[in-house]
Amino acid sequence: RKGTAVITGASSGLGLATAKALAETGKWHVIMACRDFLKASRAAKAAGMDKDSFTVVHLDLASLDSVRQFVRNVRQLEMPIDVVVCNAAVYQPTAKEPSYTADGFEMSVGVNHLGHFLLARELLSDLQSSDYPSKRLIIVGSITGNTNTLAGNVPPKANLGDLRGLAGGLNGVGSSVMIDGGEFDGAKAYKDSKVCNMLTMQEFHRRYHEETGVTFASLYPGCIATTGLFREHIPLFRLLFPPFQKYITKGYVSEEEAGKRLAQVVSDPSLTKSGVYWSWNKNSASFENQLSEEASDADKAKKLWEISEKLVGLA
Ligand code: NDP
C-alpha cells in the first residue's frame, strides 16, 4: 500500500516542495495540514500534484482547539498515519510588538513549538498503530537555533534561559512573552522556537523510541532563501538575502532540492536512525549533524516537555 504522510504548512515553501516530491514517487499520499484550505489546494494543483495524491485538512496551529479538531478529522479519513512532518512556522523578525495565538501564547513559539507539540503528542498513538515498516515523526529544525554554527551566532542568539517565561504562560500577562523571560524580540522568538523543536524531537526519542519503534528525527535542509518565511522582512533584505546565501555563504538551497531532502527523511530506507538531526553537505549527501550545547541539553529538554504538557493541557 501507499504510505500516508501528514505535513503541516504544506501550502508553500518547504512543505509544498516535500509534498510534491513524495506525491511524485507514486508511493505516498500526503495529508496537507494547512490553515488556508483554498491556498493549499491551489498550491498543490499549481505544483502539478495529482488530485488523488493528496487530501487537504484544515489545521491552524495558532489554536489548540484547531489542533484537536484536526486530529479528529484526520482519524475520520480512516487512513493509516505512517509519517508526521511538523514543518509549518511563522517568523516575525520585524515585529515591534508580540502577537498571540488563540490560547494567548506568543505567536512564534505558540505555532512553531506548542501547536506542534500537541499535534505530535496526539498523533503518536496513530503512528504507533500503523503497520507501515518505518514510521517516523519529523520536526523541522534550523541552523539559526544552533549556536555552534556561524549562522546561529548572528544576534539575537537563541537562548531559552531557565524557561521562566514559558513556565509563566508566555502571555505577557504577569509573565514575559519570551521563553527566557526577556523583552520581546521576534527574531529571537523564532530561533528559540526552533531550539524547542530540536529539543522536543530528542525528548520524544528518549521517551518513546524503544516503546513505539517510531523514528524521531529533525533536520536542517539548508537555507531556502526564497520561501515565504521571509515575507515579513524588510524589502531590501528580501532582495539581497537569496544572492547573499547563493554567492557568499553558499548555504543556499532551492525549494525543490530542500523538498527532496525532507522527502528523504520521510521515506529513505537508509534514514531510519532515531534521535538524529540530519544535514546535507555540498554534494547533497546526508549526514548526522551535531547540535549546539543548548539544543542537546537533556535536562532542558525534559523541563521543556513538562512545561509544554501543562500549557497545552496534557498534564
Ligand atoms: P513558508 O513561510 O514558505 O512556509 C511556512 C508554512 O507554515 C506555510 O505553509 C504557512 O501557511 C504555514 N503556517 C504558518 N502559520 C501557520 C498556522 N498558524 N497554522 C498552520 N500553518 C501555518 O516557510 P518555509 O517553507 O521556509 O518554512 C518551512 C520550515 O522550514 C519551517 O519550519 C522553517 O523554520 C524551516 N526552515 C526554513 C529555512 C529557510 O531558509 N527558509 C531554513 C531552515 C528551516 P500559509 O501558506 O497559510 O501562510
Side-chain angles (χ1 to χ4, degrees), residues 9 11-14 35 39 59-61 87-90 141 190 194 220 224 227-229 231:
S11 51
S12 72
L14 177 60
R35 61 178 166 176
K39 179 177 176 185
L59 168 67
D60 184 352
L61 288 157
N87 160 79
V90 284
Y190 170 79
K194 291 281 117 184
Y220 173 62
I224 331 160
T227 71
L229 196 66
R231 73 192 92 185

mmCIF file with all atom_site columns, all heavy atoms in Angstrom, residues 9 11-14 35 39 59-61 87-90 141 190 194 220 224 227-229 231, ligand 1:
data_model
loop_
_atom_site.group_PDB
_atom_site.id
_atom_site.type_symbol
_atom_site.label_atom_id
_atom_site.label_alt_id
_atom_site.label_comp_id
_atom_site.label_asym_id
_atom_site.label_entity_id
_atom_site.label_seq_id
_atom_site.pdbx_PDB_ins_code
_atom_site.Cartn_x
_atom_site.Cartn_y
_atom_site.Cartn_z
_atom_site.occupancy
_atom_site.B_iso_or_equiv
_atom_site.pdbx_formal_charge
_atom_site.auth_seq_id
_atom_site.auth_comp_id
_atom_site.auth_asym_id
_atom_site.auth_atom_id
_atom_site.pdbx_PDB_model_num
ATOM   1   N N   . GLY A 1 9   ? 1.769  22.902 7.188  1.00 0.00 ? 9   GLY A N   1
ATOM   2   C CA  . GLY A 1 9   ? 2.291  24.017 6.388  1.00 0.00 ? 9   GLY A CA  1
ATOM   3   C C   . GLY A 1 9   ? 2.716  23.564 5.003  1.00 0.00 ? 9   GLY A C   1
ATOM   4   O O   . GLY A 1 9   ? 3.738  23.994 4.480  1.00 0.00 ? 9   GLY A O   1
ATOM   5   N N   . SER A 1 11  ? 1.263  24.291 2.310  1.00 0.00 ? 11  SER A N   1
ATOM   6   C CA  . SER A 1 11  ? 0.718  25.189 1.294  1.00 0.00 ? 11  SER A CA  1
ATOM   7   C C   . SER A 1 11  ? 1.779  26.046 0.624  1.00 0.00 ? 11  SER A C   1
ATOM   8   O O   . SER A 1 11  ? 1.488  26.755 -0.329 1.00 0.00 ? 11  SER A O   1
ATOM   9   C CB  . SER A 1 11  ? -0.344 26.096 1.923  1.00 0.00 ? 11  SER A CB  1
ATOM   10  O OG  . SER A 1 11  ? 0.164  26.704 3.087  1.00 0.00 ? 11  SER A OG  1
ATOM   11  N N   . SER A 1 12  ? 3.012  26.023 1.126  1.00 0.00 ? 12  SER A N   1
ATOM   12  C CA  . SER A 1 12  ? 4.072  26.794 0.457  1.00 0.00 ? 12  SER A CA  1
ATOM   13  C C   . SER A 1 12  ? 5.446  26.267 0.848  1.00 0.00 ? 12  SER A C   1
ATOM   14  O O   . SER A 1 12  ? 5.569  25.375 1.688  1.00 0.00 ? 12  SER A O   1
ATOM   15  C CB  . SER A 1 12  ? 3.962  28.289 0.812  1.00 0.00 ? 12  SER A CB  1
ATOM   16  O OG  . SER A 1 12  ? 4.362  28.508 2.146  1.00 0.00 ? 12  SER A OG  1
ATOM   17  N N   . GLY A 1 13  ? 6.463  26.834 0.194  1.00 0.00 ? 13  GLY A N   1
ATOM   18  C CA  . GLY A 1 13  ? 7.852  26.597 0.575  1.00 0.00 ? 13  GLY A CA  1
ATOM   19  C C   . GLY A 1 13  ? 8.258  25.136 0.706  1.00 0.00 ? 13  GLY A C   1
ATOM   20  O O   . GLY A 1 13  ? 7.926  24.299 -0.139 1.00 0.00 ? 13  GLY A O   1
ATOM   21  N N   . LEU A 1 14  ? 8.947  24.851 1.792  1.00 0.00 ? 14  LEU A N   1
ATOM   22  C CA  . LEU A 1 14  ? 9.493  23.511 2.025  1.00 0.00 ? 14  LEU A CA  1
ATOM   23  C C   . LEU A 1 14  ? 8.393  22.454 2.118  1.00 0.00 ? 14  LEU A C   1
ATOM   24  O O   . LEU A 1 14  ? 8.539  21.359 1.563  1.00 0.00 ? 14  LEU A O   1
ATOM   25  C CB  . LEU A 1 14  ? 10.329 23.536 3.313  1.00 0.00 ? 14  LEU A CB  1
ATOM   26  C CG  . LEU A 1 14  ? 10.932 22.208 3.757  1.00 0.00 ? 14  LEU A CG  1
ATOM   27  C CD1 . LEU A 1 14  ? 11.884 21.642 2.698  1.00 0.00 ? 14  LEU A CD1 1
ATOM   28  C CD2 . LEU A 1 14  ? 11.669 22.378 5.093  1.00 0.00 ? 14  LEU A CD2 1
ATOM   29  N N   . ARG A 1 35  ? -3.697 25.907 7.213  1.00 0.00 ? 35  ARG A N   1
ATOM   30  C CA  . ARG A 1 35  ? -4.684 26.843 7.792  1.00 0.00 ? 35  ARG A CA  1
ATOM   31  C C   . ARG A 1 35  ? -5.558 27.476 6.726  1.00 0.00 ? 35  ARG A C   1
ATOM   32  O O   . ARG A 1 35  ? -6.615 28.001 7.024  1.00 0.00 ? 35  ARG A O   1
ATOM   33  C CB  . ARG A 1 35  ? -3.986 27.928 8.599  1.00 0.00 ? 35  ARG A CB  1
ATOM   34  C CG  . ARG A 1 35  ? -3.045 28.788 7.787  1.00 0.00 ? 35  ARG A CG  1
ATOM   35  C CD  . ARG A 1 35  ? -2.416 29.877 8.622  1.00 0.00 ? 35  ARG A CD  1
ATOM   36  N NE  . ARG A 1 35  ? -1.286 30.465 7.917  1.00 0.00 ? 35  ARG A NE  1
ATOM   37  C CZ  . ARG A 1 35  ? -0.592 31.492 8.370  1.00 0.00 ? 35  ARG A CZ  1
ATOM   38  N NH1 . ARG A 1 35  ? -0.894 32.009 9.536  1.00 0.00 ? 35  ARG A NH1 1
ATOM   39  N NH2 . ARG A 1 35  ? 0.414  31.972 7.679  1.00 0.00 ? 35  ARG A NH2 1
ATOM   40  N N   . LYS A 1 39  ? -5.876 28.003 -0.438 1.00 0.00 ? 39  LYS A N   1
ATOM   41  C CA  . LYS A 1 39  ? -4.491 28.237 -0.834 1.00 0.00 ? 39  LYS A CA  1
ATOM   42  C C   . LYS A 1 39  ? -3.763 26.902 -1.012 1.00 0.00 ? 39  LYS A C   1
ATOM   43  O O   . LYS A 1 39  ? -3.019 26.703 -1.976 1.00 0.00 ? 39  LYS A O   1
ATOM   44  C CB  . LYS A 1 39  ? -3.778 29.087 0.233  1.00 0.00 ? 39  LYS A CB  1
ATOM   45  C CG  . LYS A 1 39  ? -2.319 29.345 -0.100 1.00 0.00 ? 39  LYS A CG  1
ATOM   46  C CD  . LYS A 1 39  ? -1.633 30.237 0.909  1.00 0.00 ? 39  LYS A CD  1
ATOM   47  C CE  . LYS A 1 39  ? -0.157 30.375 0.562  1.00 0.00 ? 39  LYS A CE  1
ATOM   48  N NZ  . LYS A 1 39  ? 0.595  31.124 1.568  1.00 0.00 ? 39  LYS A NZ  1
ATOM   49  N N   . LEU A 1 59  ? -5.915 22.897 9.429  1.00 0.00 ? 59  LEU A N   1
ATOM   50  C CA  . LEU A 1 59  ? -5.197 22.931 10.708 1.00 0.00 ? 59  LEU A CA  1
ATOM   51  C C   . LEU A 1 59  ? -4.641 24.334 10.913 1.00 0.00 ? 59  LEU A C   1
ATOM   52  O O   . LEU A 1 59  ? -3.857 24.822 10.102 1.00 0.00 ? 59  LEU A O   1
ATOM   53  C CB  . LEU A 1 59  ? -4.021 21.932 10.695 1.00 0.00 ? 59  LEU A CB  1
ATOM   54  C CG  . LEU A 1 59  ? -3.020 22.083 11.858 1.00 0.00 ? 59  LEU A CG  1
ATOM   55  C CD1 . LEU A 1 59  ? -3.653 21.716 13.201 1.00 0.00 ? 59  LEU A CD1 1
ATOM   56  C CD2 . LEU A 1 59  ? -1.781 21.227 11.629 1.00 0.00 ? 59  LEU A CD2 1
ATOM   57  N N   . ASP A 1 60  ? -5.065 24.971 11.997 1.00 0.00 ? 60  ASP A N   1
ATOM   58  C CA  . ASP A 1 60  ? -4.446 26.240 12.386 1.00 0.00 ? 60  ASP A CA  1
ATOM   59  C C   . ASP A 1 60  ? -3.685 25.995 13.673 1.00 0.00 ? 60  ASP A C   1
ATOM   60  O O   . ASP A 1 60  ? -4.284 25.804 14.744 1.00 0.00 ? 60  ASP A O   1
ATOM   61  C CB  . ASP A 1 60  ? -5.518 27.325 12.584 1.00 0.00 ? 60  ASP A CB  1
ATOM   62  C CG  . ASP A 1 60  ? -4.878 28.677 12.892 1.00 0.00 ? 60  ASP A CG  1
ATOM   63  O OD1 . ASP A 1 60  ? -3.636 28.716 13.086 1.00 0.00 ? 60  ASP A OD1 1
ATOM   64  O OD2 . ASP A 1 60  ? -5.610 29.679 12.940 1.00 0.00 ? 60  ASP A OD2 1
ATOM   65  N N   . LEU A 1 61  ? -2.374 26.003 13.565 1.00 0.00 ? 61  LEU A N   1
ATOM   66  C CA  . LEU A 1 61  ? -1.530 25.693 14.731 1.00 0.00 ? 61  LEU A CA  1
ATOM   67  C C   . LEU A 1 61  ? -1.575 26.802 15.788 1.00 0.00 ? 61  LEU A C   1
ATOM   68  O O   . LEU A 1 61  ? -1.076 26.615 16.891 1.00 0.00 ? 61  LEU A O   1
ATOM   69  C CB  . LEU A 1 61  ? -0.086 25.447 14.287 1.00 0.00 ? 61  LEU A CB  1
ATOM   70  C CG  . LEU A 1 61  ? 0.122  24.126 13.545 1.00 0.00 ? 61  LEU A CG  1
ATOM   71  C CD1 . LEU A 1 61  ? 1.373  24.197 12.677 1.00 0.00 ? 61  LEU A CD1 1
ATOM   72  C CD2 . LEU A 1 61  ? 0.232  22.960 14.516 1.00 0.00 ? 61  LEU A CD2 1
ATOM   73  N N   . ASN A 1 87  ? 6.274  20.904 10.042 1.00 0.00 ? 87  ASN A N   1
ATOM   74  C CA  . ASN A 1 87  ? 7.051  21.790 9.166  1.00 0.00 ? 87  ASN A CA  1
ATOM   75  C C   . ASN A 1 87  ? 6.632  23.256 9.244  1.00 0.00 ? 87  ASN A C   1
ATOM   76  O O   . ASN A 1 87  ? 7.445  24.144 9.047  1.00 0.00 ? 87  ASN A O   1
ATOM   77  C CB  . ASN A 1 87  ? 6.912  21.279 7.720  1.00 0.00 ? 87  ASN A CB  1
ATOM   78  C CG  . ASN A 1 87  ? 7.254  22.346 6.707  1.00 0.00 ? 87  ASN A CG  1
ATOM   79  O OD1 . ASN A 1 87  ? 8.432  22.621 6.452  1.00 0.00 ? 87  ASN A OD1 1
ATOM   80  N ND2 . ASN A 1 87  ? 6.242  23.001 6.128  1.00 0.00 ? 87  ASN A ND2 1
ATOM   81  N N   . ALA A 1 88  ? 5.359  23.523 9.504  1.00 0.00 ? 88  ALA A N   1
ATOM   82  C CA  . ALA A 1 88  ? 4.864  24.910 9.448  1.00 0.00 ? 88  ALA A CA  1
ATOM   83  C C   . ALA A 1 88  ? 5.630  25.802 10.420 1.00 0.00 ? 88  ALA A C   1
ATOM   84  O O   . ALA A 1 88  ? 6.119  25.330 11.448 1.00 0.00 ? 88  ALA A O   1
ATOM   85  C CB  . ALA A 1 88  ? 3.377  24.939 9.797  1.00 0.00 ? 88  ALA A CB  1
ATOM   86  N N   . ALA A 1 89  ? 5.739  27.074 10.076 1.00 0.00 ? 89  ALA A N   1
ATOM   87  C CA  . ALA A 1 89  ? 6.389  28.009 11.005 1.00 0.00 ? 89  ALA A CA  1
ATOM   88  C C   . ALA A 1 89  ? 6.029  29.437 10.654 1.00 0.00 ? 89  ALA A C   1
ATOM   89  O O   . ALA A 1 89  ? 5.737  29.748 9.497  1.00 0.00 ? 89  ALA A O   1
ATOM   90  C CB  . ALA A 1 89  ? 7.903  27.846 10.966 1.00 0.00 ? 89  ALA A CB  1
ATOM   91  N N   . VAL A 1 90  ? 6.045  30.286 11.676 1.00 0.00 ? 90  VAL A N   1
ATOM   92  C CA  . VAL A 1 90  ? 5.981  31.721 11.441 1.00 0.00 ? 90  VAL A CA  1
ATOM   93  C C   . VAL A 1 90  ? 7.280  32.347 11.927 1.00 0.00 ? 90  VAL A C   1
ATOM   94  O O   . VAL A 1 90  ? 7.896  31.871 12.869 1.00 0.00 ? 90  VAL A O   1
ATOM   95  C CB  . VAL A 1 90  ? 4.797  32.416 12.157 1.00 0.00 ? 90  VAL A CB  1
ATOM   96  C CG1 . VAL A 1 90  ? 3.503  32.151 11.439 1.00 0.00 ? 90  VAL A CG1 1
ATOM   97  C CG2 . VAL A 1 90  ? 4.700  32.016 13.612 1.00 0.00 ? 90  VAL A CG2 1
ATOM   98  N N   . GLY A 1 141 ? 13.955 21.474 12.044 1.00 0.00 ? 141 GLY A N   1
ATOM   99  C CA  . GLY A 1 141 ? 14.775 22.332 12.903 1.00 0.00 ? 141 GLY A CA  1
ATOM   100 C C   . GLY A 1 141 ? 15.358 23.472 12.094 1.00 0.00 ? 141 GLY A C   1
ATOM   101 O O   . GLY A 1 141 ? 14.846 23.818 11.028 1.00 0.00 ? 141 GLY A O   1
ATOM   102 N N   . TYR A 1 190 ? 11.643 33.269 17.169 1.00 0.00 ? 190 TYR A N   1
ATOM   103 C CA  . TYR A 1 190 ? 11.693 32.220 16.136 1.00 0.00 ? 190 TYR A CA  1
ATOM   104 C C   . TYR A 1 190 ? 12.824 31.236 16.419 1.00 0.00 ? 190 TYR A C   1
ATOM   105 O O   . TYR A 1 190 ? 12.638 30.016 16.403 1.00 0.00 ? 190 TYR A O   1
ATOM   106 C CB  . TYR A 1 190 ? 11.880 32.858 14.751 1.00 0.00 ? 190 TYR A CB  1
ATOM   107 C CG  . TYR A 1 190 ? 12.190 31.850 13.658 1.00 0.00 ? 190 TYR A CG  1
ATOM   108 C CD1 . TYR A 1 190 ? 11.185 31.087 13.082 1.00 0.00 ? 190 TYR A CD1 1
ATOM   109 C CD2 . TYR A 1 190 ? 13.505 31.656 13.216 1.00 0.00 ? 190 TYR A CD2 1
ATOM   110 C CE1 . TYR A 1 190 ? 11.468 30.154 12.091 1.00 0.00 ? 190 TYR A CE1 1
ATOM   111 C CE2 . TYR A 1 190 ? 13.794 30.730 12.225 1.00 0.00 ? 190 TYR A CE2 1
ATOM   112 C CZ  . TYR A 1 190 ? 12.776 29.976 11.661 1.00 0.00 ? 190 TYR A CZ  1
ATOM   113 O OH  . TYR A 1 190 ? 13.067 29.047 10.688 1.00 0.00 ? 190 TYR A OH  1
ATOM   114 N N   . LYS A 1 194 ? 12.776 27.173 17.379 1.00 0.00 ? 194 LYS A N   1
ATOM   115 C CA  . LYS A 1 194 ? 13.478 26.108 16.643 1.00 0.00 ? 194 LYS A CA  1
ATOM   116 C C   . LYS A 1 194 ? 14.321 25.256 17.595 1.00 0.00 ? 194 LYS A C   1
ATOM   117 O O   . LYS A 1 194 ? 14.459 24.053 17.401 1.00 0.00 ? 194 LYS A O   1
ATOM   118 C CB  . LYS A 1 194 ? 14.337 26.716 15.530 1.00 0.00 ? 194 LYS A CB  1
ATOM   119 C CG  . LYS A 1 194 ? 13.533 27.317 14.395 1.00 0.00 ? 194 LYS A CG  1
ATOM   120 C CD  . LYS A 1 194 ? 13.025 26.248 13.433 1.00 0.00 ? 194 LYS A CD  1
ATOM   121 C CE  . LYS A 1 194 ? 11.554 26.128 13.343 1.00 0.00 ? 194 LYS A CE  1
ATOM   122 N NZ  . LYS A 1 194 ? 11.106 25.031 12.470 1.00 0.00 ? 194 LYS A NZ  1
ATOM   123 N N   . TYR A 1 220 ? 18.121 20.111 9.243  1.00 0.00 ? 220 TYR A N   1
ATOM   124 C CA  . TYR A 1 220 ? 18.313 21.450 8.688  1.00 0.00 ? 220 TYR A CA  1
ATOM   125 C C   . TYR A 1 220 ? 18.494 21.262 7.196  1.00 0.00 ? 220 TYR A C   1
ATOM   126 O O   . TYR A 1 220 ? 19.522 20.748 6.747  1.00 0.00 ? 220 TYR A O   1
ATOM   127 C CB  . TYR A 1 220 ? 19.542 22.142 9.299  1.00 0.00 ? 220 TYR A CB  1
ATOM   128 C CG  . TYR A 1 220 ? 19.829 23.452 8.596  1.00 0.00 ? 220 TYR A CG  1
ATOM   129 C CD1 . TYR A 1 220 ? 18.888 24.482 8.627  1.00 0.00 ? 220 TYR A CD1 1
ATOM   130 C CD2 . TYR A 1 220 ? 20.985 23.647 7.857  1.00 0.00 ? 220 TYR A CD2 1
ATOM   131 C CE1 . TYR A 1 220 ? 19.108 25.662 7.949  1.00 0.00 ? 220 TYR A CE1 1
ATOM   132 C CE2 . TYR A 1 220 ? 21.225 24.833 7.178  1.00 0.00 ? 220 TYR A CE2 1
ATOM   133 C CZ  . TYR A 1 220 ? 20.273 25.836 7.236  1.00 0.00 ? 220 TYR A CZ  1
ATOM   134 O OH  . TYR A 1 220 ? 20.487 27.009 6.549  1.00 0.00 ? 220 TYR A OH  1
ATOM   135 N N   . ILE A 1 224 ? 16.826 28.011 2.496  1.00 0.00 ? 224 ILE A N   1
ATOM   136 C CA  . ILE A 1 224 ? 15.902 28.104 1.359  1.00 0.00 ? 224 ILE A CA  1
ATOM   137 C C   . ILE A 1 224 ? 15.461 29.567 1.309  1.00 0.00 ? 224 ILE A C   1
ATOM   138 O O   . ILE A 1 224 ? 14.372 29.933 1.753  1.00 0.00 ? 224 ILE A O   1
ATOM   139 C CB  . ILE A 1 224 ? 14.678 27.182 1.564  1.00 0.00 ? 224 ILE A CB  1
ATOM   140 C CG1 . ILE A 1 224 ? 15.042 25.961 2.429  1.00 0.00 ? 224 ILE A CG1 1
ATOM   141 C CG2 . ILE A 1 224 ? 14.114 26.724 0.220  1.00 0.00 ? 224 ILE A CG2 1
ATOM   142 C CD1 . ILE A 1 224 ? 13.852 25.284 3.064  1.00 0.00 ? 224 ILE A CD1 1
ATOM   143 N N   . THR A 1 227 ? 11.701 31.211 0.249  1.00 0.00 ? 227 THR A N   1
ATOM   144 C CA  . THR A 1 227 ? 10.350 30.846 0.709  1.00 0.00 ? 227 THR A CA  1
ATOM   145 C C   . THR A 1 227 ? 9.634  32.016 1.356  1.00 0.00 ? 227 THR A C   1
ATOM   146 O O   . THR A 1 227 ? 10.215 33.066 1.638  1.00 0.00 ? 227 THR A O   1
ATOM   147 C CB  . THR A 1 227 ? 10.368 29.699 1.751  1.00 0.00 ? 227 THR A CB  1
ATOM   148 O OG1 . THR A 1 227 ? 10.904 30.209 2.962  1.00 0.00 ? 227 THR A OG1 1
ATOM   149 C CG2 . THR A 1 227 ? 11.138 28.493 1.280  1.00 0.00 ? 227 THR A CG2 1
ATOM   150 N N   . GLY A 1 228 ? 8.351  31.781 1.642  1.00 0.00 ? 228 GLY A N   1
ATOM   151 C CA  . GLY A 1 228 ? 7.515  32.788 2.284  1.00 0.00 ? 228 GLY A CA  1
ATOM   152 C C   . GLY A 1 228 ? 7.934  33.102 3.706  1.00 0.00 ? 228 GLY A C   1
ATOM   153 O O   . GLY A 1 228 ? 7.427  34.050 4.312  1.00 0.00 ? 228 GLY A O   1
ATOM   154 N N   . LEU A 1 229 ? 8.836  32.321 4.253  1.00 0.00 ? 229 LEU A N   1
ATOM   155 C CA  . LEU A 1 229 ? 9.261  32.533 5.641  1.00 0.00 ? 229 LEU A CA  1
ATOM   156 C C   . LEU A 1 229 ? 9.740  33.964 5.875  1.00 0.00 ? 229 LEU A C   1
ATOM   157 O O   . LEU A 1 229 ? 9.598  34.507 6.956  1.00 0.00 ? 229 LEU A O   1
ATOM   158 C CB  . LEU A 1 229 ? 10.382 31.550 5.991  1.00 0.00 ? 229 LEU A CB  1
ATOM   159 C CG  . LEU A 1 229 ? 10.673 31.367 7.473  1.00 0.00 ? 229 LEU A CG  1
ATOM   160 C CD1 . LEU A 1 229 ? 9.479  30.716 8.176  1.00 0.00 ? 229 LEU A CD1 1
ATOM   161 C CD2 . LEU A 1 229 ? 11.907 30.515 7.698  1.00 0.00 ? 229 LEU A CD2 1
ATOM   162 N N   . ARG A 1 231 ? 8.638  36.617 4.437  1.00 0.00 ? 231 ARG A N   1
ATOM   163 C CA  . ARG A 1 231 ? 7.640  37.559 3.893  1.00 0.00 ? 231 ARG A CA  1
ATOM   164 C C   . ARG A 1 231 ? 7.496  38.804 4.755  1.00 0.00 ? 231 ARG A C   1
ATOM   165 O O   . ARG A 1 231 ? 7.090  39.845 4.276  1.00 0.00 ? 231 ARG A O   1
ATOM   166 C CB  . ARG A 1 231 ? 6.295  36.859 3.707  1.00 0.00 ? 231 ARG A CB  1
ATOM   167 C CG  . ARG A 1 231 ? 5.542  36.575 4.998  1.00 0.00 ? 231 ARG A CG  1
ATOM   168 C CD  . ARG A 1 231 ? 4.373  35.645 4.771  1.00 0.00 ? 231 ARG A CD  1
ATOM   169 N NE  . ARG A 1 231 ? 4.807  34.259 4.975  1.00 0.00 ? 231 ARG A NE  1
ATOM   170 C CZ  . ARG A 1 231 ? 4.066  33.203 4.766  1.00 0.00 ? 231 ARG A CZ  1
ATOM   171 N NH1 . ARG A 1 231 ? 2.870  33.322 4.323  1.00 0.00 ? 231 ARG A NH1 1
ATOM   172 N NH2 . ARG A 1 231 ? 4.524  32.000 4.989  1.00 0.00 ? 231 ARG A NH2 1
HETATM 173 P P1  . NDP B 2 .   ? 6.980  29.240 4.404  1.00 0.00 ? 1   NDP B P1  1
HETATM 174 O O1  . NDP B 2 .   ? 6.597  30.525 5.060  1.00 0.00 ? 1   NDP B O1  1
HETATM 175 O O2  . NDP B 2 .   ? 7.028  29.167 2.919  1.00 0.00 ? 1   NDP B O2  1
HETATM 176 O O3  . NDP B 2 .   ? 6.045  28.081 4.916  1.00 0.00 ? 1   NDP B O3  1
HETATM 177 C C1  . NDP B 2 .   ? 5.521  28.063 6.203  1.00 0.00 ? 1   NDP B C1  1
HETATM 178 C C2  . NDP B 2 .   ? 4.219  27.315 6.202  1.00 0.00 ? 1   NDP B C2  1
HETATM 179 O O4  . NDP B 2 .   ? 3.692  27.329 7.536  1.00 0.00 ? 1   NDP B O4  1
HETATM 180 C C3  . NDP B 2 .   ? 3.151  27.923 5.297  1.00 0.00 ? 1   NDP B C3  1
HETATM 181 O O5  . NDP B 2 .   ? 2.520  26.882 4.623  1.00 0.00 ? 1   NDP B O5  1
HETATM 182 C C4  . NDP B 2 .   ? 2.212  28.590 6.272  1.00 0.00 ? 1   NDP B C4  1
HETATM 183 O O6  . NDP B 2 .   ? 0.874  28.618 5.860  1.00 0.00 ? 1   NDP B O6  1
HETATM 184 C C5  . NDP B 2 .   ? 2.333  27.635 7.455  1.00 0.00 ? 1   NDP B C5  1
HETATM 185 N N1  . NDP B 2 .   ? 1.812  28.226 8.689  1.00 0.00 ? 1   NDP B N1  1
HETATM 186 C C6  . NDP B 2 .   ? 2.173  29.386 9.276  1.00 0.00 ? 1   NDP B C6  1
HETATM 187 N N2  . NDP B 2 .   ? 1.402  29.604 10.366 1.00 0.00 ? 1   NDP B N2  1
HETATM 188 C C7  . NDP B 2 .   ? 0.546  28.554 10.463 1.00 0.00 ? 1   NDP B C7  1
HETATM 189 C C8  . NDP B 2 .   ? -0.500 28.222 11.353 1.00 0.00 ? 1   NDP B C8  1
HETATM 190 N N3  . NDP B 2 .   ? -0.847 29.019 12.358 1.00 0.00 ? 1   NDP B N3  1
HETATM 191 N N4  . NDP B 2 .   ? -1.169 27.061 11.159 1.00 0.00 ? 1   NDP B N4  1
HETATM 192 C C9  . NDP B 2 .   ? -0.861 26.256 10.129 1.00 0.00 ? 1   NDP B C9  1
HETATM 193 N N5  . NDP B 2 .   ? 0.111  26.535 9.241  1.00 0.00 ? 1   NDP B N5  1
HETATM 194 C C10 . NDP B 2 .   ? 0.800  27.676 9.408  1.00 0.00 ? 1   NDP B C10 1
HETATM 195 O O7  . NDP B 2 .   ? 8.400  28.905 5.026  1.00 0.00 ? 1   NDP B O7  1
HETATM 196 P P2  . NDP B 2 .   ? 9.437  27.690 4.809  1.00 0.00 ? 1   NDP B P2  1
HETATM 197 O O8  . NDP B 2 .   ? 8.941  26.738 3.808  1.00 0.00 ? 1   NDP B O8  1
HETATM 198 O O9  . NDP B 2 .   ? 10.769 28.298 4.624  1.00 0.00 ? 1   NDP B O9  1
HETATM 199 O O10 . NDP B 2 .   ? 9.424  27.027 6.255  1.00 0.00 ? 1   NDP B O10 1
HETATM 200 C C11 . NDP B 2 .   ? 9.143  25.678 6.479  1.00 0.00 ? 1   NDP B C11 1
HETATM 201 C C12 . NDP B 2 .   ? 10.006 25.139 7.618  1.00 0.00 ? 1   NDP B C12 1
HETATM 202 O O11 . NDP B 2 .   ? 11.383 25.186 7.255  1.00 0.00 ? 1   NDP B O11 1
HETATM 203 C C13 . NDP B 2 .   ? 9.884  25.932 8.916  1.00 0.00 ? 1   NDP B C13 1
HETATM 204 O O12 . NDP B 2 .   ? 9.832  25.017 9.997  1.00 0.00 ? 1   NDP B O12 1
HETATM 205 C C14 . NDP B 2 .   ? 11.180 26.720 8.965  1.00 0.00 ? 1   NDP B C14 1
HETATM 206 O O13 . NDP B 2 .   ? 11.556 27.004 10.292 1.00 0.00 ? 1   NDP B O13 1
HETATM 207 C C15 . NDP B 2 .   ? 12.110 25.734 8.320  1.00 0.00 ? 1   NDP B C15 1
HETATM 208 N N6  . NDP B 2 .   ? 13.346 26.269 7.801  1.00 0.00 ? 1   NDP B N6  1
HETATM 209 C C16 . NDP B 2 .   ? 13.352 27.185 6.771  1.00 0.00 ? 1   NDP B C16 1
HETATM 210 C C17 . NDP B 2 .   ? 14.550 27.663 6.303  1.00 0.00 ? 1   NDP B C17 1
HETATM 211 C C18 . NDP B 2 .   ? 14.610 28.634 5.190  1.00 0.00 ? 1   NDP B C18 1
HETATM 212 O O14 . NDP B 2 .   ? 15.713 29.053 4.860  1.00 0.00 ? 1   NDP B O14 1
HETATM 213 N N7  . NDP B 2 .   ? 13.512 29.041 4.589  1.00 0.00 ? 1   NDP B N7  1
HETATM 214 C C19 . NDP B 2 .   ? 15.825 27.200 6.857  1.00 0.00 ? 1   NDP B C19 1
HETATM 215 C C20 . NDP B 2 .   ? 15.677 26.245 7.912  1.00 0.00 ? 1   NDP B C20 1
HETATM 216 C C21 . NDP B 2 .   ? 14.494 25.805 8.345  1.00 0.00 ? 1   NDP B C21 1
HETATM 217 P P3  . NDP B 2 .   ? 0.305  29.738 4.814  1.00 0.00 ? 1   NDP B P3  1
HETATM 218 O O15 . NDP B 2 .   ? 0.693  29.237 3.449  1.00 0.00 ? 1   NDP B O15 1
HETATM 219 O O16 . NDP B 2 .   ? -1.180 29.685 5.054  1.00 0.00 ? 1   NDP B O16 1
HETATM 220 O O17 . NDP B 2 .   ? 0.936  31.037 5.162  1.00 0.00 ? 1   NDP B O17 1
#
